Amino acid sequence: MNALFDNKTVFIIVKNVRDDDSIYKLEVDAKTQKIINEIFDVPSEEILGKQRVEFTAGYTPLEDETFVIKNFGLSDQLKNAFRNPVSVPSFVMNREENPVIRAVCVGYCEDTEQGKCFKAAFQRFRKDQYISVSRLCLLFDENTFRQDNRVGFTISEFVDSVFVGNDLLFSSYHFTRQIFDLSGYYRIATNTDIDTFVKEKVFDFGDHLENFKDGANVWHRRKISAINDSGILTKYKASELKKIAERQAGITIKVKDKRIVFPTEPEETKAILSFLDEEAWKGPFSGETFLSNSKRKMKRKN
C-alpha cells in the first residue's frame, strides 16, 4: 500500500507583498524526495486519523481531535500546481537575499469517480529554517569542521494542515493562518464593532470609555465580536443580566440607572466579557466560578 505522499512533488510557497503568493517546485534528487515525502506522511496520517470537529473560534481541540473547514477555497495557483507540477517554475535561492517563504508543501491531484481530488500537506516556514551565509556555517566531515558557504533551508518533521478533497484539517488556527487567509472563518472585532458594543444602552463606562477602547487587545476583540453576533445585549436588560450572572456564574455585576457599570480592573473585565460570551459558569458541585478559554456547541441527537 502506497503512502499518502509517495513520490509526490515538493512545492515552496513564497510570500509576495503586493501580488498573490508565488508557487515554485523544489528540485531534489530521488533520495531526498523520498525522505521529504516520508516526513510529511506520518503527521498527515495522524491528522487524518483524528476526530474532525468543525472549526469554532475560541475552541481548543482535544488531543484526539482536529479542526475541519469544509469546502475550503484552495487557491487556483495551488490547484494548478498540483494538477501539472511540470509547468511550475523551479525554486532558486541566492546569496544576497532570502526569499520570504510562507510554507513548504507536498501535494497532487488525482482522478476519482467523483472527479478531481486534491491532496496536500502544508508546513509553515520559520525564519530559523534558513541556512544563510550571513552566519558562519560549519559542517563536520572526516573529523574536521569545514566552512560551507552554500545557501539553503531545513525542513522540519511536522505538518500544520492537510487538505483532502475540499476539506482543510488543522489543529492550530494560529499556525495555519500563517499559511492561509483564514480571516473569513475567525472574526475579531473591528474598531467599528467596538463602537457598536460600547454604544449599547446596557453599559455605563463612566470616564474610562476611551481607555477601554484603546486597550482592547485580540482577546477582548474576539469576545466583543462574539457578544455582538449573539445579540445578547439587545435580548436582555441590565437587570436580567445581573441576575443571570449571579445565579449561573457566581459573578457580581453592579447596575446603576438601568445600566451595567463596566469594571476597570482587568480581571473583572475579563470575567464580565467571558460571562457575556457564555464562557463563565458556576461549578455544580464546588459552587466555584470558572472561566473557560475553549468551547464549542455539542451536537444533539435528533
Side-chain angles (χ1 to χ4, degrees):
M1 181 177 178
N2 290 335
L4 185 63
F5 297 113
D6 184 38
N7 197 32
K8 302 304 179 185
T9 306
V10 184
F11 299 94
I12 304 295
I13 304 175
V14 175
K15 180 180 178 180
N16 292 321
V17 177
R18 298 179 181 178
D19 301 323
D20 293 335
D21 291 344
S22 298
I23 313 299
Y24 297 96
K25 177 174 55 181
L26 191 65
E27 299 288 355
V28 293
D29 58 38
K31 180 180 179 181
T32 303
Q33 181 170 328
K34 185 175 185 298
I35 293 173
I36 296 176
N37 290 160
E38 291 174 350
I39 287 175
F40 276 76
D41 262 323
V42 176
S44 295
E45 294 289 359
E46 290 178 356
I47 292 175
L48 291 170
K50 294 183 178 182
Q51 179 184 351
R52 302 181 186 186
V53 296
E54 186 176 348
F55 174 63
T56 303
Y59 179 69
T60 302
L62 301 176
E63 188 174 344
D64 63 343
E65 295 177 333
T66 186
F67 278 135
V68 59
I69 296 178
K70 296 182 179 180
N71 298 315
F72 181 78
L74 197 68
S75 72
D76 290 336
Q77 280 184 298
L78 281 171
K79 287 183 176 181
N80 291 334
F82 297 157
R83 287 192 193 98
N84 188 18
V86 177
S87 66
V88 179
S90 300
F91 180 67
V92 177
M93 291 185 69
N94 59 60
R95 301 175 187 276
E96 286 70 32
E97 183 179 5
N98 286 330
V100 184
I101 299 176
R102 186 187 295 277
V104 180
C105 73
V106 177
Y108 61 99
C109 176
E110 65 179 3
D111 293 317
T112 67
E113 293 181 356
Q114 291 74 35
K116 300 289 185 181
C117 179
F118 294 93
K119 295 182 180 180
F122 300 84
Q123 175 186 123
R124 74 188 187 282
F125 193 86
R126 307 184 312 274
K127 289 183 179 180
D128 61 7
Q129 289 178 249
Y130 286 112
I131 300 173
S132 174
V133 293
S134 62
R135 293 174 291 179
L136 184 62
C137 183
L138 301 178
L139 298 182
F140 190 67
D141 181 39
E142 296 182 354
N143 297 322
T144 303
F145 283 96
R146 293 181 173 83
Q147 178 186 358
D148 194 305
N149 60 3
R150 290 172 293 180
V151 294
F153 59 89
T154 62
I155 292 180
S156 301
E157 295 187 356
F158 66 85
V159 165
D160 290 295
S161 57
V162 176
F163 185 86
V164 176
N166 292 308
D167 297 343
L168 181 68
L169 286 72
F170 59 96
S171 297
S172 170
Y173 167 83
H174 174 70
F175 292 148
T176 304
R177 68 188 285 268
Q178 297 175 33
I179 305 172
F180 301 105
D181 179 10
L182 300 181
S183 58
Y185 303 94
Y186 187 103
R187 197 172 76 81
I188 62 173
T190 63
N191 290 338
T192 301
D193 293 324
I194 295 177
D195 286 337
T196 299
F197 178 81
V198 301
K199 287 178 180 178
E200 290 289 347
K201 296 180 179 180
V202 177
F203 301 115
D204 177 6
F205 284 88
D207 58 0
H208 65 276
L209 174 58
E210 293 304 319
N211 289 337
F212 172 77
K213 292 168 64 176
D214 293 340
N217 58 28
V218 173
W219 185 88
H220 293 100
R221 289 174 181 269
R222 181 170 65 82
K223 292 298 176 191
I224 289 170
S225 67
I227 295 166
N228 283 351
D229 292 344
S230 72
I232 192 173
L233 300 180
T234 59
K235 296 176 183 177
Y236 295 89
K237 298 178 181 179
S239 58
E240 293 173 321
L241 291 172
K242 173 181 172 66
K243 292 179 181 178
I244 297 172
E246 292 176 348
R247 182 175 66 249
Q248 303 289 348
I251 294 175
T252 300
I253 290 179
K254 182 179 179 181
V255 175
K256 180 181 178 181
D257 297 331
K258 298 182 179 181
R259 292 191 177 190
I260 293 173
V261 178
F262 206 88
T264 57
E265 292 297 322
E267 284 301 315
E268 294 179 0
T269 298
K270 184 174 183 179
I272 193 172
L273 290 177
S274 295
F275 161 68
L276 293 172
D277 188 29
E278 298 186 288
E279 287 190 351
W281 75 97
K282 184 188 292 185
F285 305 112
S286 67
E288 297 289 341
T289 296
F290 296 92
L291 302 182
S292 172
N293 62 358
S294 177
K295 75 172 188 287
R296 70 182 177 96
K297 291 182 180 180
M298 183 180 74
K299 291 185 177 180
R300 300 183 181 276
K301 294 182 179 180
N302 295 328

